[in-house]
Amino acid sequence: MKIRSLMTIPVFAVLVGVAGCGTSDSGNSNTSAQTSVPKDAQVVHVIAQDYSWTLDKSTFKDNQPIAFDLSCTSGSHGFAISGTNINVPIASGQTKTVVWTPKKAGTYTIVCSKFCGPGHEQMVKKFKVV
């Protein structure tokens, strides 16, 4: 009897974790990542959906602001640029703008910082700064 009860704890924990994957995060709906967009900003439209990022351009100039116009069509995700302090939650139906100025040329990686389901690890997109 005790063994059966102990075995249900990990199963319950997994079910609770999976139940939240890909769902809307209404708790962060008031979080604002809106930033005034500088006139010289390079604007890129970014779509977050379950397990992928779509960008309408992927090459940018260094030392010039990039305005990431985020929208989310499914699930709940975290827009993060590896190696920076950019980490913004976004849920289905939301739009947000994030402005970031790269200080050096190189290849940067956008990742999902919020577990969104079984394809979460593949939710990666690279872009270049020249």
Side-chain angles (χ1 to χ4, degrees), residues 23-34 75-77 88-96 114:
T23 59
S24 179
D25 186 4
S26 60
N28 286 326
S29 61
N30 292 328
T31 301
S32 176
Q34 294 293 332
S76 183
H77 306 282
V88 178
I90 188 161
S92 185
Q94 290 183 327
T95 59
K96 296 183 179 183
K114 180 176 181 181

Side-chain angles (χ1 to χ4, degrees), residues 104-120:
K104 63 180 182 176
T107 300
Y108 293 86
T109 305
I110 297 170
V111 297
C112 181
S113 60
K114 180 176 181 181
F115 184 76
C116 57
H120 172 72

Side-chain angles (χ1 to χ4, degrees), residues 15 33 35 37-38 53 65 84 101 123 129:
L15 290 175
T35 306
V37 177
W53 298 104
T84 73
T101 303
M123 195 166 175
V129 173

Side-chain angles (χ1 to χ4, degrees), residues 35-48:
T35 306
S36 60
V37 177
K39 291 179 182 176
D40 65 338
Q42 307 164 89
V43 178
V44 56
H45 300 282
V46 180
I47 299 172

